[in-house]
Amino acid sequence: MSGAVGEARREVRFPISEAFRFSVESIRKRFTRALITAISIVLGVAFYVGLRTMSDIMIFIYGGSEAARSYQFWMAIISLIVCAVGILNSMLMAVTERTREIGTMKCLGAMDSHILMIFLIESSLIGIIGGVMGAVIGWVTGLLIYVGEHAAILFNPALLGSYALRIGEGVLIAMVLTVGATIYPAYYAASMDPADALRFEL
Amino acid sequence: MRYEYTVETEDLAKYYQMGEVVVKALDGINLRIRRGEYLSIMGPSGSGKTTLFNMIGGLDRPTRGRVYIDEVDISKLDAYELAWLRCRKIGYIFQTFNLIPVLTALENVTLPMIFAGVPREERLRRAIELLTKVGLGDRLHHKPAELSGGQQQRVAIARALANDPVIVLADEPTGNLDLHTGLEIITMLRNLNKEKGVTVFTATHDLKMIDVSDRIVWIRDGKIDRIEKRVDVVVSMEEM
């Protein structure tokens, strides 16, 4: 017997393994776009981690007067904002330009949750890769700036802990911002009626 | 179970608020589409064809009235059932093709089968079969941008058929195609209707569609203007 909806539970399925495969394929096929997005994450995080690493080294060498700490604090805030704006902007664009694609997928039977799952996996992957690369690049750059005068103290055990902390912070920031900036527009597009999503123009 | 009517609409209306003005895109459409019928909605642009397509396809919500697909009122469906309906019961064809640009022809056709839970091997086998049937057996791994308009629309037809829908909905399927290619697409839809008994609903202002339609519904300003049967046309031609 075929036909009436509701005689048995009618469900579409999209197992996480399929979602993962789809997301990886999607990144691979839009590699240039993903790369540009990833670069903005890398730059943002590198900027943040680089500045924070340098200020950690400076405070370690020169000690932290009240004024110096305050200055460093504001530098940290500014670097965080620059980093956040870069990531948010590129992720918002990358998802918004796919609104029609989201509408099409809903016509083919995708549910809102499937679409969110795809974008969650995609953005987590890009966030982790971009975040780790950015944090390492930022950290290395921070070290290079001091390596001439202060090479001896750069790997002082007291500094190692704060390096690890900054790199961890950088990766976390990248993950949170990338996923957040992806999920919001993806959710918005997925919850539109497909007719509206298909009509959507940037 | 076979239902006599694949689609029924009951006093279907859709109003849009445009600033101060209420635009009545659809205003009280009562329509029954028989199983296996090839029905075309004709009318000038802005007459409400696409709105009707969206309503019947469950892609937009009506302001008033009801749509039944196989005797199920689609406004009563929850999100799971609605997704299931779009996935399994309806195949969509659009004027702008709406293929996923980063996926190959083969992957575009397999996508609805992923949602339907068809195993991977079976998906590939069926997608290749469908694409071969629409004459694209040698273009399986091309992306939409590497295909002509007519070829893209044929991929879209194969995709629409992936889960054996009871009805194929087409919104201006020939709108972006030249005369010859448009005719090819129309013939393909007609054969599909004849051979597999798939109900076909097209919204169009392409007069070539008249020759293949069982019934033509003319709409104007969101209302049914008149309904013509092709039988009438055929009879009058035989008399000549």
Side-chain angles (χ1 to χ4, degrees):
Chain A
M1 210 161 121
S2 72
V5 179
E7 62 196 25
R9 189 70 186 153
R10 304 294 198 183
E11 275 192 17
V12 285
R13 282 187 286 168
F14 196 51
I16 194 128
S17 57
E18 292 288 356
F20 195 82
R21 196 202 315 261
F22 189 92
S23 303
V24 172
E25 274 295 286
S26 176
I27 293 177
R28 205 171 63 80
K29 300 222 159 143
R30 288 175 230 270
F31 188 71
T32 321
R33 191 70 180 89
L35 194 67
I36 293 169
T37 312
I39 285 172
S40 78
I41 298 169
V42 169
L43 288 177
V45 172
F47 188 70
Y48 176 79
V49 174
L51 278 183
R52 296 307 305 264
T53 304
M54 284 159 64
S55 77
D56 287 343
I57 297 171
M58 269 170 74
I59 288 171
F60 181 74
I61 296 171
Y62 301 112
S65 69
E66 193 60 31
R69 281 182 185 279
S70 163
Y71 172 77
Q72 296 299 346
F73 173 76
W74 287 109
M75 283 298 280
I77 296 285
I78 291 166
S79 62
L80 189 61
I81 291 172
V82 171
C83 164
V85 169
I87 293 176
L88 290 175
N89 181 46
S90 56
M91 290 314 292
L92 285 171
M93 279 303 294
V95 181
T96 312
E97 71 185 12
R98 286 168 69 182
T99 302
R100 287 187 55 178
E101 184 181 322
I102 291 174
T104 305
M105 292 189 61
K106 285 191 72 176
C107 290
L108 303 180
M111 297 189 57
D112 299 6
S113 57
H114 302 151
I115 288 161
L116 289 181
M117 193 153 72
I118 290 170
F119 280 90
L120 189 67
I121 296 171
E122 269 191 57
S123 60
S124 306
L125 289 174
I126 294 181
I128 283 200
I129 294 169
V132 169
M133 281 176 62
V136 170
I137 291 173
W139 173 64
V140 170
T141 312
L143 292 187
L144 285 178
I145 288 174
Y146 288 99
V147 82
E149 303 170 51
H150 304 288
I153 58 100
L154 285 185
F155 290 98
N156 187 302
L159 276 173
L160 295 181
S162 63
Y163 293 157
L165 182 68
R166 296 308 170 212
I167 290 175
E169 273 175 14
V171 175
L172 188 70
I173 290 169
M175 282 289 290
V176 170
L177 288 176
T178 309
V179 171
T182 306
I183 287 307
Y184 173 72
Y187 175 77
Y188 181 76
S191 57
M192 277 178 169
D193 282 319
D196 295 325
L198 290 173
R199 253 200 309 268
F200 185 85
E201 296 208 5
L202 215 55
Chain B
M1 194 152 152
R2 295 174 69 84
Y3 300 93
E4 188 178 2
Y5 295 106
T6 302
V7 177
E8 277 183 80
T9 73
E10 209 177 82
D11 189 31
L12 191 64
K14 177 72 176 180
Y15 299 164
Y16 293 100
Q17 188 79 39
M18 302 280 251
E20 295 285 288
V21 192
V22 175
V23 177
K24 297 181 173 180
L26 286 181
D27 196 12
I29 298 277
N30 291 294
L31 193 64
R32 285 171 154 190
I33 306 176
R34 264 177 212 288
R35 171 172 286 275
E37 190 173 27
Y38 192 122
L39 185 133
S40 292
I41 296 285
M42 293 253 175
S45 45
S47 57
K49 297 189 299 289
T50 296
T51 312
L52 186 56
F53 166 91
N54 287 336
M55 296 297 151
I56 291 178
L59 303 181
D60 204 350
R61 274 172 291 229
T63 310
R64 190 183 77 224
R66 298 190 182 288
V67 174
Y68 300 87
I69 306 279
D70 274 358
E71 300 188 0
V72 174
D73 179 351
I74 66 172
S75 68
K76 295 223 166 69
L77 302 182
D78 63 23
Y80 289 94
E81 292 164 330
L82 194 57
W84 185 86
L85 179 95
R86 290 175 188 144
C87 181
R88 307 294 292 268
K89 288 234 162 187
I90 305 176
Y92 303 87
I93 298 171
F94 302 92
Q95 177 175 5
T96 48
F97 321 131
N98 290 359
L99 300 175
I100 309 282
V102 295
L103 300 183
T104 62
L106 187 65
E107 290 163 334
N108 265 289
V109 179
T110 50
L111 192 54
M113 291 188 267
I114 296 181
F115 296 122
V118 179
R120 190 174 158 75
E121 296 304 313
E122 171 66 14
R123 293 203 294 263
L124 288 174
R125 193 194 58 71
R126 182 155 168 75
I128 292 171
E129 182 189 308
L130 284 165
L131 283 165
T132 308
K133 204 176 276 177
V134 296
L136 292 175
D138 55 344
R139 295 278 190 282
L140 298 177
H141 303 292
H142 287 60
K143 288 187 192 166
E146 299 157 0
L147 298 170
S148 71
Q151 289 172 332
Q152 288 188 53
Q153 196 60 303
R154 282 190 272 162
V155 175
I157 291 177
R159 182 179 69 179
L161 296 176
N163 290 327
D164 263 326
V166 293
I167 184 165
V168 168
L169 301 179
D171 183 21
E172 297 281 10
T174 59
N176 279 6
L177 304 174
D178 64 60
L179 199 74
H180 176 71
T181 319
L183 207 54
E184 264 177 31
I185 295 296
I186 290 173
T187 311
M188 206 168 269
L189 287 174
R190 183 55 176 173
N191 290 342
L192 177 77
N193 169 256
K194 277 278 169 240
E195 288 160 18
K196 301 184 72 181
V198 180
T199 312
V200 176
F201 170 96
T202 68
T204 183
H205 59 243
D206 186 344
L207 295 175
K208 295 195 290 298
M209 204 66 95
I210 292 179
D211 293 338
V212 298
S213 305
D214 296 322
R215 274 196 301 161
I216 299 124
V217 177
W218 296 84
I219 65 171
R220 180 174 287 275
D221 301 328
K223 289 184 171 136
I224 294 182
D225 193 32
R226 62 182 195 280
I227 301 180
E228 289 175 350
K229 286 192 178 142
R230 190 170 58 109
V231 186
D232 305 340
V233 185
V234 171
V235 167
S236 64
M237 278 170 67
E238 280 168 354
E239 283 168 351
M240 277 162 62

